[in-house]
Amino acid sequence: MSRVILSIGDPNGIGPEIAVKAARQLTAEPELAPVLVGSVAVVEPWAKVFGARVRELDSAREPEPGLVDVLPVPGPTARPGVVSAEAGEATVANLRAAVAAVRAGLGRGIVAGPHSETAVNAAGIRFDGYPGLLADLAGVPRDRVFLMLVGGGLRVVHATLHERLADALSRLSADLVVAAGLAAAEFLRTRGVVAPRLGLFGINPHAGEGGLFGGDDARVTEPAAERLRGEGLRVVGPLGADVALASPVVRGELDAWVAMYHDQGHIPVKVLAGRTASALTVGAGLAFSSVGHGAAFDIAGRGVADPEAVVRAIRLIGTPAAAPAGRVPA
């Protein structure tokens, strides 16, 4: 059985707790029961709390009731709530091991627990989120791998992500927006949408209002929309994000949106989905998702973290695409 591989993320955050909770919750669905990746010393205390035993794996195994399967990765002892370079280094080591496991045929996709960008960068590792790191591990240029936030009936792929807004705006180009749109369309096809319909957010208010609010959209989003149409995609926009998302008719006709920068795409999904949003990575050639929330250091170690987002991410990655052409639920 090819299973979902679940990296525990930052060992000092809520990742280990919600990973074990998700594994226990999915025990009754063996086709979805994940294999955890991380330090056994970090995972085992949570397994005991929730009435399970850890089984260390080095090859593919069928899930069994009462067991939490772990591909062990050496790492530091958990220090709940502490942002540290050691934990950041472990976050990356866990993901590397998860990618290696999928390449070795031990899993069909990866779900990663929440990370801390501060911790990873403190370890001397260039890191602005999972998409860039996954691109490096997959040998794909970083500007061809993108985050797609899913939740609340929306799918939004981000042309730029974790960077200073001024830097994001200066880096935006028609090439980048086209690459994000194509990556989103390819993902949608893997989920059964034969003819994806995309919407493009404008950069400036009202998508520039015909140049009244700047020429950025004439330079970037308008030619990107035309090029995507030239690729055979149905594209709406660029539109002002507020108008586009306020229209149920427009929103209901589209499979995904392309946002130009982080907050433009994150705010609507998180308003609608809260912490249950899933963060897919598209364009890297791997089935990959993470949760749409952070490591929650303020509640780490207390046993009160909600595993719903990681369960949804596992279902998103682990459920075979069976939808016909047309709209599929986010």
Side-chain angles (χ1 to χ4, degrees):
M1 174 184 287
S2 182
R3 299 164 65 180
V4 172
I5 305 298
L6 174 55
S7 168
I8 65 172
D10 190 303
N12 292 348
I14 62 171
E17 176 190 343
I18 61 176
V20 172
K21 284 181 173 177
R24 297 293 288 142
Q25 185 172 324
L26 293 169
T27 296
E29 302 176 66
E31 72 281 3
L32 292 177
V35 176
L36 276 56
V37 177
S39 167
V40 171
V42 173
V43 172
E44 194 162 41
W46 286 112
K48 290 179 178 178
V49 167
F50 300 115
R53 293 183 294 110
V54 163
R55 177 172 64 173
E56 296 186 39
L57 300 183
D58 57 10
S59 61
R61 298 283 295 275
E62 297 282 338
E64 293 185 18
L67 297 180
V68 173
D69 288 331
V70 179
L71 291 172
V73 179
T77 302
R79 299 164 62 201
V82 176
V83 180
S84 73
E86 293 78 14
E89 189 172 12
T91 302
V92 174
N94 294 339
L95 183 60
R96 289 183 185 276
V99 170
V102 169
R103 286 177 170 164
L106 301 183
R108 63 182 179 273
I110 299 167
V111 172
H115 62 266
S116 163
E117 288 162 22
T118 300
V120 177
N121 280 281
I125 300 168
R126 178 191 174 203
F127 184 77
D128 58 4
Y130 281 133
L133 178 59
L134 201 65
D136 294 345
L137 295 177
V140 178
R142 283 187 169 221
D143 61 0
R144 292 298 180 267
V145 179
F146 303 92
L147 180 138
M148 177 187 281
L149 205 60
V150 177
L154 294 175
R155 298 184 191 87
V156 184
V157 66
H158 296 67
T160 66
L161 194 57
H162 296 119
E163 56 192 296
R164 191 174 68 121
L165 183 56
D167 294 337
L169 295 178
S170 68
R171 198 165 64 83
L172 277 171
S173 67
D175 286 347
L176 190 61
V177 175
V178 168
L182 292 176
E186 180 58 30
F187 165 76
L188 290 166
R189 292 187 185 103
T190 70
R191 306 310 295 171
V193 183
V194 176
R197 302 180 189 180
L198 300 180
L200 263 61
F201 293 154
I203 298 170
N204 290 318
H206 307 175
E209 191 79 42
L212 183 63
F213 304 139
D216 306 284
D217 287 286
R219 175 179 59 86
V220 175
T221 58
E222 291 174 15
E226 287 304 311
R227 286 171 55 183
L228 288 168
R229 293 183 187 108
E231 294 284 345
L233 296 172
R234 288 177 281 182
V235 178
V236 173
L239 298 172
D242 58 339
V243 174
L245 293 177
S247 169
V249 175
V250 173
R251 195 169 67 239
E253 286 296 313
L254 298 175
D255 299 296
W257 293 92
V258 182
M260 299 302 115
Y261 50 90
H262 179 281
D263 285 13
Q264 190 183 57
H266 272 55
I267 288 172
V269 175
K270 290 197 172 182
V271 166
L272 293 172
R275 63 175 177 266
T276 65
S278 297
L280 290 163
T281 292
V282 296
L286 291 168
F288 180 91
S289 182
S290 183
V291 294
H293 60 72
F297 291 114
D298 57 325
I299 61 169
R302 291 169 50 190
V304 298
D306 184 354
E308 181 62 22
V310 75
V311 170
R312 288 184 181 226
I314 291 169
R315 293 190 185 282
L316 191 62
I317 293 297
T319 302
R327 313 290 70 78
V328 293

